[in-house]
Amino acid sequence: MPTDADILETLRQELRRGSLILAVLGQLRAEHYGYTLRKALGEAGVEIEEGALYPMLRRLEAQGLLASEWREEARRRKRFYRLSDEGRAVLDRLVEEWTRLNASVDAILRTKP
């Protein structure tokens, strides 16, 4: 039987999953390569492991939400990511949804029984 800590960790991961996608899309309003994206997210308080970030970037690009290109910088080839036009439109809609949902959940949590 799972412990309270196991249950809490599972729920925490579920809560973070959708939030991470929104944070990544939001951060990619400006162009980044993987390392600088991960660093910018971390500085904003959103930690993400490389093993989660890179598959997410590939999936979002396959969905048409990101565009990428390989470039050489400091003698190294790096893949730079940015929102596509479709990605910008989707991000705008997700931000609206996030704002509504966050306000609703916040109101529920602040209501005293």
Side-chain angles (χ1 to χ4, degrees), residues 16-99:
R16 280 181 46 89
R17 193 167 291 121
S19 302
L20 286 174
I21 292 170
L22 186 59
V24 166
L25 291 174
Q27 196 65 50
L28 286 173
R29 289 178 288 192
E31 186 178 72
H32 287 277
Y33 65 94
Y35 174 77
T36 60
L37 174 59
R38 190 167 171 247
K39 184 177 175 188
L41 289 166
E43 289 171 356
V46 180
E47 299 295 332
I48 185 168
E49 297 296 322
E50 287 180 21
L53 177 60
Y54 290 102
M56 180 189 300
L57 291 172
R58 286 189 296 273
R59 186 174 66 253
L60 292 170
E61 186 172 22
Q63 293 169 339
L65 303 180
L66 301 180
S68 71
E69 69 176 292
W70 286 98
R71 291 200 307 257
E72 190 167 316
E73 183 180 278
R75 299 184 192 168
R76 295 184 61 202
R77 286 184 47 81
K78 299 175 182 178
R79 188 172 199 157
F80 287 81
Y81 295 90
R82 67 186 176 287
L83 283 180
S84 65
D85 290 340
E86 184 178 347
R88 287 185 192 287
V90 167
L91 176 60
D92 289 344
R93 291 192 305 256
L94 288 175
V95 167
E96 289 174 11
E97 180 65 23
W98 172 267
T99 301

